[in-house]
């Protein structure tokens, strides 16, 4: 279990996603990395049917091909508190049984898939994010497997990312790690520097959810500006649970 | 059809043979020797019966054999056909193979002879020293110290707060220390007396099994670090001052707590060939890439 960092790759104008992925893949191969299969991370969101007096809750169900026997889920009750759960794959069937309480929002099913590379102890995944078969962007996942804490190896990961992406990566830790809050013994929320915690698979999944939510929101803002009034029922809910979402720091509540 | 007939014939021959054998066995057993008329008659009677049996079976076999036909095609006998095949040396192409293996064995013999000579003169043999006459008269006692000594020695070392260690003795009196350095790595140090015999380095999240101290780490970086710990183990080796050797070795090992944190002193980069600077200088404890060390 190593530390994983997600890095969205900005698409230059006039270039297609497939072209960029191809280019990055070639760069990695010439660096000495080896191609090691494919990967897939998908996310489906279920929304609770509205009841009188109770706020709408969302359940995000994610799968990660790196942990093929597990289903990750997060309940978001809209008040800023998240409950996360790792379960066996059979959890998916359980969700299907709960259609009375939770309905799936098929139009927001989002996934990131692509090639997986290994370079020394690094695992690099070039993911293209698609929602409903529409290409949304490029999300690079980089994992350094021997290390268990971000603060130990962030500079290494940063150097690696800058090296093959050719873009400048900020010196600060990624926002997911710095903006985590915990409830302390006095019941108050407190900023907790997560870079000094032992990394867990759930952290990878939470980072994916954070980025996926950003991609979804981006689309909804787009459609809203286009005057079609899209977004439907889902729009306010997704926006509602992300009040301070500027800069991708939205899901930062554990 | 032909096969059936053949099978029946073969069975008949088998029966005949067993009957003949039984008959002769009966004859060889003879009577019980008491000379009683009754038993002698019985014996002769039984013999006649068996003899008749043999006769009738012989006739049956002859009849069956006459009934057999010459098969139109050769029987397919599977792999057994090869049994009777003539083997000639030229066709088998055995000779070149034999020559090759002979050469190979010859080479192995040569090499092992050279290796044996070299190993006999090896100065790196550390625990026992056969070569020096002087040493034999004054055997250093660093490998048969009393068991408490190593624990005392380890407790005397000033560890930084991020390092913890645990001593256990799976091999009788010889100690094994499991050292955990921050959240970076674990190392199992196998002692023989006070001398360090072996070091295994693994990642913080890997299991360092007490029963299997020799399994390598699954991560390339820790396998590389382990190589360096072994060379350092030879560097710090000092049979005359074994305590000091262990202390300086532990100080050197502790410098790995910044394994992923420090860039290489020479090239200033973190990564070379997918690895962080794994080499720590033996005196200054500065980090270097393996490739940067000698340039």
């Amino acid at each position: 279990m190593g530390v994983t960092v997600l890095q969205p790759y900005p698409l230059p104008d006039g270039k297609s996603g497939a072209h960029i992925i191809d280019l990055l893949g070639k760069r990695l191969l010439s660096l000495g990395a080896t191609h090691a299969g494919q990967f897939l991370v998908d996310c489906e969101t279920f929304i609770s049917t509205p009841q009188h007096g109770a706020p709408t809750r969302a359940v995000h169900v994610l799968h990660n091909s790196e942990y093929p026997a597990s289903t990750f889920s997060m309940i978001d009750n809209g008040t800023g508190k998240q409950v996360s759960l790792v379960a066996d794959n059979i959890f998916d069937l359980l969700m299907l049984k709960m259609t009375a309480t939770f309905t799936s929002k098929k139009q927001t099913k989002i996934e990131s898939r692509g090639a997986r590379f290994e370079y020394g102890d690094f695992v690099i995944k070039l993911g293209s994010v698609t929602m409903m078969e529409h290409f949304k962007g490029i999300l690079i996942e980089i994992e350094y497997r021997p290390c268990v804490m971000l603060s130990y190896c962030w500079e290494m990961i940063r150097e690696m990312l800058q090296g093959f992406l050719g873009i400048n990566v900020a010196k600060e830790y990624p926002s997911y790690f710095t903006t985590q809050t915990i409830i302390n013994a006095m019941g108050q929320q407190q900023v907790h520097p997560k870079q000094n915690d032992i990394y867990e698979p759930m952290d990878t999944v939470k980072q994916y959810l954070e980025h996926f939510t950003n991609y979804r929101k981006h689309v909804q803002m787009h459609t809203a500006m286009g005057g079609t009034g899209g977004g439907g029922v889902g729009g306010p809910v997704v926006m509602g649970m992300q009040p301070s979402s500027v800069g991708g720091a939205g899901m930062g509540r554990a | 059809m032909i096969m059936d007939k053949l099978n029946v014939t073969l069975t008949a021959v088998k029966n005949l043979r067993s009957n003949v054998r039984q008959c002769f066995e009966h004859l060889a057993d003879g009577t019980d020797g008491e000379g009683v008329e009754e038993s002698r008659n019985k014996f002769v009677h039984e013999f006649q019966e068996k003899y008749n049996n043999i006769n009738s079976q012989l006739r049956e076999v002859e009849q069956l054999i006459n009934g057999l036909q010459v098969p139109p095609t050769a029987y397919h006998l599977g792999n057994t056909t090869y049994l009777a095949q003539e083997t000639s040396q030229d066709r088998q192409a055995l000779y070149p193979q034999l020559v090759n293996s002979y050469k190979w064995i010859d080479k192995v013999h040569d090499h092992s002879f050279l290796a044996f000579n070299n190993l006999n003169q090896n100065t790196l043999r550390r625990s026992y020293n056969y070569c020096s006459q002087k040493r034999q008269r004054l055997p250093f006692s660093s490998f048969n110290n009393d068991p408490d000594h190593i624990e005392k020695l380890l407790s005397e070392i000033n560890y930084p707060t991020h390092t913890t260690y645990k001593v256990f003795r799976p091999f009788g009196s010889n100690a094994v220390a499991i050292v955990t350095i921050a959240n970076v790595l674990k190392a199992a140090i196998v002692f023989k007396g006070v001398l360090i015999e072996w070091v295994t380095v693994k990642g913080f999240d890997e299991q360092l099994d007490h029963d299997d101290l020799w399994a390598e780490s699954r991560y390339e970086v820790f396998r590389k670090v382990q190589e360096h710990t072994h060379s350092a183990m030879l560097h710090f080796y000092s049979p005359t001052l074994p305590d000091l050797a262990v202390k300086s070795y532990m100080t050197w090992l502790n410098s790995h707590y910044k394994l992923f944190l420090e860039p290489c002193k020479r090239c200033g980069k973190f990564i070379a060939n997918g690895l962080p600077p794994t080499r720590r200088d033996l005196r200054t404890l500065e980090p270097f890439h393996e490739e940067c060390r000698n340039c």
Side-chain angles (χ1 to χ4, degrees), chain A residues 1 119 121 148-149 152 159, chain B residues 183 205 220-221 270-271 274:
Chain A
M1 179 64 248
Y119 176 60
D121 292 317
V148 290
M149 262 161 59
Y152 283 151
E159 185 183 294
Chain B
N183 289 336
D205 60 335
E220 204 181 328
V221 52
F270 281 94
I271 304 164

Side-chain angles (χ1 to χ4, degrees), chain B residues 73-98:
Chain B
T73 53
Y75 289 122
H76 179 66
L77 295 177
N79 282 338
T80 44
T81 39
Y82 297 114
L83 274 178
Q85 213 173 42
E86 188 195 10
T87 56
S88 77
Q89 269 189 11
D90 299 339
R91 283 194 208 152
Q92 299 285 329
L94 276 176
Y95 186 70
Q97 284 180 23
L98 275 175

Side-chain angles (χ1 to χ4, degrees), chain A residues 139-193:
Chain A
L139 193 56
I140 314 278
E141 180 191 323
I142 180 163
E143 178 181 354
Y144 189 60
R145 290 180 300 163
C147 197
V148 290
M149 262 161 59
L150 181 80
S151 58
Y152 283 151
C153 60
W154 165 239
E155 281 299 320
M156 274 181 77
I157 290 180
R158 185 168 157 257
E159 185 183 294
M160 182 73 204
L161 275 174
Q162 287 187 337
F164 84 94
L165 292 180
I167 56 171
N168 193 35
V169 179
K171 202 170 165 51
E172 291 77 37
Y173 296 119
S175 59
Y176 168 77
F177 293 91
T178 50
T179 55
Q180 293 291 334
T181 52
I182 51 163
I183 311 287
N184 65 9
M186 305 292 288
Q188 295 155 328
Q189 284 203 353
Q190 205 175 29
V191 175
H192 175 68

Side-chain angles (χ1 to χ4, degrees), chain B:
Chain B
M1 188 63 193
I2 295 171
M3 290 304 275
D4 285 351
K5 267 189 186 169
L6 201 62
N7 270 336
V8 171
T9 320
L10 282 174
T11 320
V13 170
K14 224 187 283 172
N15 283 339
L16 178 64
R17 285 177 58 137
S18 80
N19 272 334
V20 170
R21 185 187 160 86
Q22 273 177 13
C23 182
F24 278 113
E25 266 176 6
H26 187 240
L27 269 181
D29 285 350
T31 56
D32 43 11
E34 286 294 313
V36 185
E37 195 68 22
E38 199 178 315
S39 74
R40 188 173 293 177
N41 278 343
K42 195 184 163 198
F43 176 76
V44 173
H45 185 69
E46 274 178 6
F47 173 70
Q48 271 178 348
E49 203 175 287
K50 285 194 171 154
Y51 193 74
N52 286 339
N53 255 347
I54 292 175
N55 264 338
S56 67
Q57 276 188 336
L58 190 62
R59 267 198 301 281
E60 195 188 327
V61 168
E62 276 173 349
Q63 263 175 19
L64 281 168
I65 287 176
N66 287 334
L68 283 179
Q69 297 155 353
V70 179
T73 53
Y75 289 122
H76 179 66
L77 295 177
N79 282 338
T80 44
T81 39
Y82 297 114
L83 274 178
Q85 213 173 42
E86 188 195 10
T87 56
S88 77
Q89 269 189 11
D90 299 339
R91 283 194 208 152
Q92 299 285 329
L94 276 176
Y95 186 70
Q97 284 180 23
L98 275 175
V99 171
N100 273 341
S101 48
Y102 178 78
K103 277 185 189 160
W104 196 77
I105 286 176
D106 211 34
K107 234 183 253 177
V108 168
H109 190 258
D110 278 358
H111 286 187
S112 52
F113 179 71
L114 288 173
F116 175 75
N117 275 345
N118 271 333
L119 287 174
N120 262 351
Q121 300 162 359
N122 190 2
T123 49
L124 293 178
R125 187 203 297 271
R126 303 171 306 125
S127 302
Y128 307 99
N129 203 327
Y130 297 112
C131 302
S132 156
Q133 287 295 319
K134 205 176 169 186
R135 284 271 168 76
Q136 276 191 353
R137 263 182 268 129
L138 292 166
F140 49 85
S141 56
S142 50
F143 53 88
N144 50 16
N145 264 311
D146 67 307
D148 295 333
H149 182 79
I150 188 79
E151 248 155 88
K152 200 167 137 258
L153 173 67
L154 284 172
S155 62
E156 275 170 5
I157 298 172
N158 288 327
Y159 291 103
T161 45
H162 50 71
T163 303
T164 54
Y165 76 95
K166 211 171 65 196
V167 178
F168 67 106
R169 298 173 190 279
F171 316 117
S173 65
N174 289 325
V176 173
I178 304 266
V179 182
T180 311
I181 300 178
N183 289 336
V184 177
L185 61 83
K186 292 178 193 165
I189 302 175
V190 182
F191 288 96
K192 186 180 173 95
V194 192
L195 294 183
I196 297 171
E197 277 282 316
W198 187 262
V199 183
T200 305
V201 179
K202 287 207 171 183
F204 183 75
D205 60 335
E206 283 183 289
Q207 266 205 333
L208 195 51
D209 214 343
H210 290 190
D211 299 324
D212 190 8
L213 294 168
W214 281 264
E216 284 196 324
S217 168
R218 81 177 91 113
Y219 304 120
E220 204 181 328
V221 52
F222 294 120
R223 289 200 295 268
K224 194 57 89 182
V225 170
Q226 180 169 330
E227 277 178 28
H228 294 316
T229 56
H230 286 180
S231 68
M233 173 171 90
L234 296 173
H235 173 86
F236 287 114
Y237 164 68
S238 153
T240 43
L241 294 165
D243 291 14
L244 183 70
V246 172
K247 280 181 187 167
S248 23
Y249 187 75
M250 294 308 268
T251 312
W252 176 84
L253 193 67
N254 271 323
S255 69
H256 283 90
Y257 84 100
K258 280 188 168 178
L259 179 66
F260 305 120
L261 270 174
E262 289 179 325
C264 169
K265 273 279 172 214
R266 195 169 309 263
C267 68
K269 295 263 185 295
F270 281 94
I271 304 164
N273 279 336
L275 290 172
T278 45
R279 171 99 200 165
R280 292 289 179 281
D281 190 272
L282 296 165
R283 274 180 301 128
T284 59
L285 307 182
E286 284 173 337
F288 289 101
H289 287 125
E290 204 187 12
E291 299 82 3
C292 297
R293 183 164 49 116
N294 297 323
C295 54

Side-chain angles (χ1 to χ4, degrees), chain A residues 26-41:
Chain A
K26 274 183 188 155
R27 260 190 219 166
L28 280 173
L29 288 176
S30 55
L31 193 67
T34 48
H35 193 271
Q38 307 287 320
F39 85 101
L40 167 70
V41 178

